Amino acid sequence: MAVSIKEIAKAAGVSTATVSRVINNSPKLSQKTRDKVLKIMKEMNYVPNSLARGLSNQKALNVALLINIEEPSSFHNPFFYEVMHGIETAVYKRGLSLIIASSRGEDKQEIVEWLMNEKRMQGIIIPSSLADGKLLNLLRKRKFPFVVIGKFEEGIKPVSWVDINNQQGGEQAVAHLIQNGYERIALICGGMDKVFNLDRLEGYKRALARHQMPMEPNWIVETDGSKNQAYSAMKALLQSDNCPNAVICGDNILSFGVMKAAQEMEVSIPKDLGLVSFDNYPLATLVEPSLTSIHIDVFQMGEMAANSLLALIDNPDASQQQMLISTAVEVRESSIRRT
Amino acid sequence: MAVSIKEIAKAAGVSTATVSRVINNSPKLSQKTRDKVLKIMKEMNYVPNSLARGLSNQKALNVALLINIEEPSSFHNPFFYEVMHGIETAVYKRGLSLIIASSRGEDKQEIVEWLMNEKRMQGIIIPSSLADGKLLNLLRKRKFPFVVIGKFEEGIKPVSWVDINNQQGGEQAVAHLIQNGYERIALICGGMDKVFNLDRLEGYKRALARHQMPMEPNWIVETDGSKNQAYSAMKALLQSDNCPNAVICGDNILSFGVMKAAQEMEVSIPKDLGLVSFDNYPLATLVEPSLTSIHIDVFQMGEMAANSLLALIDNPDASQQQMLISTAVEVRESSIRRT
DNA sequence: CACAATAATGTAAACGGTTGCACTAGTTTG
DNA sequence: CAAACTAGTGCAACCGTTTACATTATTGTG
């Protein structure tokens, strides 16, 4: 049995209340007793029992992150790891732990309700891909703090979210290509049902406008996100008489399709075709040529989401916050013509 | 404030002790009262407070998984996600939650000690890459249950671990290639300081022996795990006069190097060179040709690790268990000669 | 120097469960 | 039919904190 507050109290010749005040560094305490108690605590290597504190405070000890094994898209990727680290880093500073709420298919509610009912968490972070009205209303009804990772707009009710600044990413991709001498820039992206694709497209358009470059409608290709469709799209583009000399891909998977098409058509990247890809996965460095990518600070995304959540926990009536995280161009081979 | 055991007791006209017995379905209870109490619990939608239970039972509510952001290797990959799901699935069945213990660089002890001291976890799962003597001794000294993910052998003290059956994987890779008409099979793998590489090598050797095929020492190449070294190694192999017609890669990254070499030398995969890769990452389906891979059931690995840990928690004196998970060949293009 | 104001500490009741022990009522047993 | 069990239930202490309120010690004021 570990040493408890009582034993510290006895050893220090004070009451447990005083020890508790030391733990919570309450201001109304003489420096003398504080020091004495602290010394004893150290000597007996006392650590307060979190369960008892939680019970007494009526506060859960954790913050949860919802994940879903049947969601192979956005989060099912190497970055996920860093998001977790970001969240954990932020909540740890507050003495909280990160717990994983692993949902299976449709059963998101089940685990979330369990965690709420059992008082296992103070708040929850939800990837936008898993945020639907049903779940969010459940949380709202219970006035339970939550933050969405990924831009999220649902009706009129404001929601706190943190996202990558995809629009900025789109602009940077275009600007980078222009700077490197490409002036006929296409965009191949995933489905426009995803907000981040819309944002990337928007950034693309803006940058073209800003640089006073014409926008060819058929240079903007929406795909289902598969390598195959990207392949076909790129092939079609290369065969058209109005052929682009650079392309921006919505993610690394699409880039694979583009590279395959280029190879088949004997179009050299980066000589004849510049390529910039979103999603700076580790594998962007592995392919030939390595992919210039729009880098995304996922760790920071996790940290900010957590901090946003903590703010909501501190003050449930605080206004919902929306935050965007800056992107950056990670320059590699696919967009630099060898001189 | 949520409904507590007292209110249930009052509503049911019994004592809190009885309600508690219902919750823990103690055997000494008449069916009649049990039903009555259960009914009331349902009606008032009562859920026991986990913190109070934990405090009373002297049991933490969680099991932890240690991760490290500065560990880009084995776990920093898409599979990690599934390991977590596996662990969570198993511990959830026991009413426990999975918490993430995120360590930064050298400071593994810090977070682990914190979680132990604060009674936040009942046991911990540690990737073998993070398991060192210092950490393990800390855990052992406190008689704290832990399980390692990945084969782990340290001195004489037995440790519970769960790993992929890498040896089997090596054998399967060879057998598959032989079956498909390749008979000059090389192996390019990562550093032999990693046990799993040794195991894969061992499986390779065994399979060759079983099929009575000669083993060429220079067909076994150890690399540092980088794409570049795999590239050079493959190039050298292809240029040698004793050139293999198939190769097994220790992971997907090495495969990239191999594919680059093959392409440069105008050696066609799978026609002139069969390729089987370990690590069935999603991207194995993306490259051209798609990679025949040794598939690994990572979800199961998580589940088994968790179950092993739970067994240790139930009975700290139980013997340490070591478990291997079967691999399987996922056949794709890179190892099947088109007829 | 008496008295009020203030600062420092203690007392004891929560928080929401669990459980050893005592008790009651019904069932065996000799 | 009394004694000995047994099954079912309640009482109350306990798990390790926090905190409102009461109490005591210290300081400042006229």
Side-chain angles (χ1 to χ4, degrees), chain A residues 5-20 22 29 33-34 36-37:
Chain A
I5 200 174
K6 277 182 202 147
E7 300 156 59
I8 300 295
K10 186 184 284 179
V14 298
S15 72
T16 62
T18 300
V19 178
S20 174
V22 172
L29 258 188
T33 27
R34 187 188 306 278
K36 184 175 58 182
V37 173

Side-chain angles (χ1 to χ4, degrees), chain B residues 234-235 237-239 243-246 258-274 289:
Chain B
M234 192 69 231
K235 210 152 177 180
L237 281 175
L238 290 173
Q239 286 165 339
C243 166
N245 65 359
V258 165
M259 292 173 83
K260 183 181 172 190
Q263 197 176 329
E264 266 186 39
M265 307 273 300
E266 300 195 341
V267 167
S268 150
I269 298 175
K271 198 162 130 283
D272 310 322
L273 185 72

Side-chain angles (χ1 to χ4, degrees), chain B residues 201-216:
Chain B
L201 171 60
E202 182 61 24
Y204 165 85
K205 287 183 178 169
R206 280 207 194 178
L208 288 187
R210 172 166 328 136
H211 290 86
Q212 317 199 355
M213 299 184 53
M215 203 189 77
E216 301 283 335

Side-chain angles (χ1 to χ4, degrees), chain B residues 286-302:
Chain B
L286 296 174
V287 291
E288 288 297 322
S290 58
L291 299 178
T292 291
S293 303
I294 300 302
H295 178 77
I296 281 163
D297 191 340
V298 199
F299 181 89
Q300 201 196 351
M301 180 152 76

